Amino acid sequence: MTTQALVQVLASGLLMGLIYALIAVGLSLIFGLMDVVNFAHGEFLMLAMYATFGLVLVTRLDPVVLMPLVAALLFMLGAAAYMGVVRFAMRAKANQGMVQIFATFGLAILLQGAAQYLFTPDYRNVQDTWLGGRTLELGGIFLPWPQIFGAVVSLAAFGGLHLLMSRTDFGRALEATREDQGAVALVGIDRNRVFALGWGLGAALVGLAGAVLAIFYYIHPQVGASFALIAYVTVALGGFGSVGGALVAGIIVGLVEAFTAVILPPALKSVGVYALYLAVVFARPQGLFGRL
Amino acid sequence: MIRRRELLVGAGALSLASLRGAPARAAAPEVVVGVLYPMSGASAQMGVDARHAIETALDIINNDHDLDLPTAKGAGLAGMGGAKIRLVFADHQADPQKGRAEAERLITQDKVSALVGCYQSAVSATVSATAERYGMPFVCADSSSPSLHRKGLKLFFRPAAHDEMFSTAMFDFLDAQRKQGKTIDSIALFFEDTIYGVDSANVQRKLAGERGYKLVADVKYKSNSPSLTAEVQQLKTANADVLLPTSYTTDAILLTKTMAELGYKPKSMIAQAAGFSEKVTYDTVGDKLQGLISRGSFSLDLAAKRPMVATVNNMYKARAGRDLNDNSSRQFMALIVLADALDRAGSTDGQKIRAALAATDIPGTRTIMPWTKVAFGPDGQNTHADPVLLQWIGDKFVTIFPDAAAVAPAKWPMNT
């Protein structure tokens, strides 16, 4: 393998890894907040992609400009999912963990079915974008602009999230709630409200990821599934609930996947990621940055 | 919430309806045919289009049409006392296990007399085995894996070509280009990791060896991957004279996008249809596929010689909002071929339908395909289903090979 090809694989893996991290972080955030795994995370991503596609169609604006709007829409969807579904699932008297799984899993199937019904199973594609199809060439290394942009958005989102968590009252309330749900209720914090905002924030982050992905990926009712699986592995690898862990794990997953595809037949490229995942689960069940 | 009382009333009404239905059925008999396609999941659009194609055929069979297709004239199947065909659709979600379960359900519960399907070769493999066990004829519409008709099944029938025939046509075309003085030395294979992709690649690898083409990349990839960057990187490094992809729609789109992103313009591409014959692929990335050649069973060009092709295409287009393509034309023909056999069998007995299918002899002019005829070998394969090669030029496919069917010379290489 030439140096050039090596650098290309490294760069491609890194860019994709940062996007994986952005997809995964919302999932990790919600889990950290309330110990609930959102099985509809991939469907949130899918809806964000359709939202981007639809808004581009209606407004004729570039998807880059529409990103905040998509994130806001997904924020509302996330908060609504908590208020309408998860809140009730958490009231279950027995087997609460299972009820939560079935509730979010059911939501996933509902959203998939609704998307297929409303949008048809045809493949969509955002055509009018300033970034689309452009590639940066640096000494024989090809870096697609949409992916570079996605990586920048991802890093910015992680930075913003860090500031939000450490500098704002909302962030502190979020952190306090994940530390001790009972105690925050005693000091007058409305737990339900924090949870709803947390779900909104998690969904808004995956909304950003969806808007980025819509620029260079096809849009389809099932598109969430393949990314959701990677998001679960990323979150488990980084440590459930750890925001920094999601960032590091996303990059690791992207790089391992890219290099596995070169070393092994590409059909086996997920093998490297899952082997690493298994190794981490055995050696460090809480993930790289997780707390037990 | 459904209350128990409503449920009882509903059940009562249903049983009354079925009582009333029984004598009516005796008066106007019907034949039930099970149709298996992916109606949900990543290939759902394929299933939706297949449904339109098969329902177009159903319209032609069950109603009186002035078309030179078997069973078109007169309503219903004359050989069965004017019986009409009723279709029961099942969704296999591109999953071989679901395909098997759905086939069993159609046979045991819906009491179908024959099965048609299934697009994905992996699903057709389990469905054909299930059909065989129940003595149920299976008309394989559009799965092209060669291994399907080599399992010694007695009730498997495939009117369309398989990948060996298609791949042979591709290499015949390459040989012809060589004879004209074009330099074609190396080929690259890129194929998805199920039976369809693997069988296709096995044939192409063998043909390349036999005919003296150097294999410079042999990339088996994971279908529905989030990214194909590393795979395309390998293809780009190899930079073969011809890239031969075997992919379904999702991967066809992603492959094309990734090639463009990584600055890889293959000199030429010859695709094994599937995703590369779908309209949506060209709606999405058609500008990057100018000059792509795909194998085909069907060509709208044929309408110039055989006006019936345009008539059927218009009927389909009214339902599906798109033209017939390689996949939907084969799906259409599958039900026509089955109806012709049912008509001659005059019975819904599996063995009688089997015998009638085995005796099928439909001249090519009575189909919408460029085939010589439909007649099955002992393995259930129609060996007269001559494939064509089509090239994407502007915004449509034109037939470029073989010479007898060609309407334009090939643009070769597609990118210079």
Side-chain angles (χ1 to χ4, degrees):
Chain A
M1 194 174 187
T2 63
T3 320
Q4 196 184 57
L6 191 76
V7 175
Q8 176 75 62
V9 173
L10 193 74
S12 300
L14 185 68
L15 291 183
M16 210 57 210
L18 281 166
I19 293 169
Y20 288 162
L22 182 60
I23 296 171
V25 66
L27 187 69
S28 194
L29 191 79
I30 291 171
F31 181 87
L33 183 64
M34 54 196 292
D35 284 354
V36 171
V37 177
N38 175 21
F39 281 92
H41 195 69
E43 282 58 43
F44 283 13
L45 182 76
M46 175 267 291
L47 288 177
M49 293 173 78
Y50 273 109
T52 309
F53 176 78
L55 286 171
V56 169
L57 215 62
V58 173
T59 63
R60 297 266 154 222
L61 291 171
D62 199 277
V64 174
V65 183
L66 293 165
M67 288 183 78
L69 192 52
V70 175
L73 284 174
L74 263 286
F75 184 93
M76 286 190 270
L77 176 74
Y82 172 74
M83 297 303 279
V85 178
V86 182
R87 188 163 54 118
F88 298 102
M90 290 181 69
R91 284 187 198 156
K93 292 282 182 291
N95 257 335
Q96 207 190 66
M98 292 303 270
V99 172
Q100 285 162 9
I101 289 173
F102 289 134
T104 56
F105 198 69
L107 182 65
I109 292 170
L110 176 76
L111 292 178
Q112 251 181 44
Q116 178 166 338
Y117 181 75
L118 292 173
F119 310 133
T120 79
D122 226 334
Y123 294 85
R124 314 284 172 174
N125 182 37
V126 175
Q127 306 267 18
D128 309 318
T129 157
W130 157 76
L131 285 167
R134 283 165 187 255
T135 300
L136 174 70
E137 195 189 339
L138 284 174
I141 312 294
F142 288 82
L143 303 171
W145 274 111
Q147 265 115 311
I148 297 176
F149 173 72
V152 172
V153 170
S154 174
L155 286 172
F158 273 95
L161 193 60
H162 176 74
L163 288 180
L164 183 81
M165 300 289 276
S166 57
R167 301 278 169 83
T168 65
D169 282 344
F170 168 62
R172 280 188 279 270
L174 216 61
E175 188 58 35
T177 310
R178 59 197 276 182
E179 293 279 333
D180 192 335
Q181 293 187 19
V184 292
L186 286 179
V187 297
I189 293 176
D190 181 353
R191 213 170 47 167
N192 255 327
R193 201 160 152 248
V194 175
F195 284 159
L197 291 174
W199 269 75
L201 184 61
L205 286 162
V206 80
L208 282 181
V212 163
L213 219 50
I215 300 175
F216 65 92
Y217 209 77
Y218 59 80
I219 306 168
H220 188 268
Q222 307 285 322
V223 71
S226 44
F227 287 99
L229 199 59
I230 289 184
Y232 296 126
V233 172
T234 305
V235 169
L237 191 64
F240 273 101
S242 165
V243 168
L247 178 62
V248 176
I251 294 171
I252 292 176
V253 167
L255 288 174
V256 169
E257 192 184 71
F259 277 99
T260 314
V262 176
I263 298 160
L264 296 177
L268 302 175
K269 73 175 174 189
S270 318
V271 168
V273 173
Y274 290 104
L276 174 73
Y277 165 69
L278 276 180
V280 170
V281 167
F282 277 125
R284 222 185 126 74
Q286 70 271 42
L288 296 173
F289 298 88
R291 288 167 291 191
L292 267 186
Chain B
M1 202 70 177
I2 300 169
R3 266 175 283 158
R4 192 181 301 168
R5 206 187 130 127
E6 282 167 344
L7 207 63
L8 283 172
V9 173
L14 269 178
S15 58
L16 272 177
S18 65
L19 273 179
R20 232 180 286 138
R25 203 175 296 149
E30 62 176 16
V31 190
V32 190
V33 172
V35 184
L36 298 114
Y37 276 99
M39 297 292 181
S40 60
S43 314
Q45 187 62 43
M46 165 50 57
V48 172
D49 291 347
R51 184 181 187 130
H52 289 311
I54 289 174
E55 282 177 347
T56 305
L58 184 76
D59 177 1
I60 289 171
I61 296 158
N62 281 353
N63 301 304
D64 184 19
H65 285 271
D66 186 25
L67 291 168
D68 193 20
L69 287 166
T71 71
K73 295 204 174 68
L77 303 168
M80 295 182 82
K84 296 201 171 182
I85 291 180
R86 179 165 65 86
L87 301 174
V88 183
F89 284 88
D91 175 18
H92 62 57
Q93 297 171 34
D95 177 342
Q97 298 316 319
K98 291 210 176 73
R100 185 210 310 271
E102 285 297 289
E104 273 186 1
R105 184 179 66 77
L106 288 170
I107 295 166
T108 57
Q109 288 175 36
D110 292 295
K111 309 286 177 203
V112 299
S113 299
L115 295 173
V116 175
C118 299
Y119 189 55
Q120 280 91 356
S121 289
V123 183
S124 284
T126 59
V127 168
S128 58
T130 308
E132 189 82 4
R133 208 166 59 242
Y134 284 92
M136 177 73 42
F138 171 58
V139 178
C140 180
D142 43 9
S143 302
S144 57
S145 167
S147 61
L148 290 173
H149 72 275
R150 303 233 165 94
K151 295 192 169 124
L153 301 179
K154 296 272 169 271
L155 293 124
F156 175 93
F157 293 91
R158 174 159 54 191
H162 56 77
D163 285 339
E164 272 177 33
M165 299 160 76
F166 286 126
S167 295
T168 304
M170 292 178 190
F171 281 85
D172 287 348
F173 168 76
L174 290 178
D175 287 352
Q177 291 294 310
R178 265 182 166 179
K179 262 194 203 129
Q180 287 176 22
K182 307 266 168 61
T183 316
I184 308 168
D185 291 324
S186 56
I187 62 164
L189 301 182
F190 178 82
F191 56 101
E192 57 112 45
D193 59 346
T194 70
I195 171 175
Y196 165 57
V198 173
D199 277 0
S200 160
N202 286 342
V203 176
Q204 293 180 337
R205 203 176 291 117
K206 181 166 156 274
L207 284 167
E210 286 168 5
R211 302 194 186 196
Y213 295 89
K214 197 173 149 213
L215 192 64
V216 290
D218 194 343
V219 181
K220 176 161 108 176
Y221 72 93
K222 193 169 175 301
S223 54
N224 298 324
S225 272
S227 143
L228 290 173
T229 311
E231 291 83 341
V232 169
Q233 186 58 39
Q234 291 184 31
L235 296 176
K236 189 184 169 190
T237 309
N239 195 24
D241 292 327
V242 196
L243 171 62
L244 299 168
T246 305
S247 301
Y248 291 118
T249 314
T250 46
D251 302 325
I253 296 174
L254 190 59
L255 170 71
T256 313
K257 285 192 165 211
T258 311
M259 286 195 310
E261 283 168 6
L262 294 187
Y264 172 44
K265 268 196 168 185
K267 292 172 196 160
S268 281
M269 281 171 87
I270 305 181
Q272 197 76 274
F276 285 99
S277 62
E278 285 301 314
K279 179 176 180 288
V280 61
T281 305
Y282 297 91
D283 285 348
T284 319
V285 289
D287 54 326
K288 299 180 183 75
L289 291 174
Q290 280 300 319
L292 173 123
I293 295 169
S294 173
R295 53 91 157 165
S297 311
F298 177 75
S299 158
L300 265 182
D301 297 341
L302 195 61
K305 279 185 229 165
R306 211 179 289 164
M308 174 175 77
V309 175
T311 312
V312 173
N313 184 55
N314 289 338
M315 288 177 73
Y316 172 76
K317 204 170 180 175
R319 287 169 191 271
R322 55 189 74 187
D323 288 318
L324 281 168
N325 67 10
D326 190 47
N327 300 319
S328 41
S329 62
R330 286 185 284 169
Q331 289 145 4
F332 171 87
M333 278 313 301
L335 191 65
I336 297 285
V337 168
L338 177 61
D340 170 70
L342 287 168
D343 190 34
R344 284 181 288 106
S347 161
T348 52
D349 176 69
Q351 286 310 316
K352 288 196 177 127
I353 300 171
R354 195 212 99 78
L357 274 167
T360 297
D361 191 0
I362 304 171
T365 49
R366 297 191 69 206
T367 72
I368 59 165
M369 315 300 266
W371 301 340
T372 321
K373 62 175 177 173
V374 184
F376 297 105
D379 52 8
Q381 174 63 44
N382 176 17
T383 47
H384 310 276
D386 310 316
V388 290
L389 295 187
L390 312 163
Q391 190 164 33
W392 182 252
I393 300 284
D395 61 353
K396 62 176 186 170
F397 273 116
V398 292
T399 313
I400 52 141
F401 191 82
D403 290 341
V407 296
K411 177 177 181 271
W412 188 275
M414 70 183 248
N415 291 310
T416 40

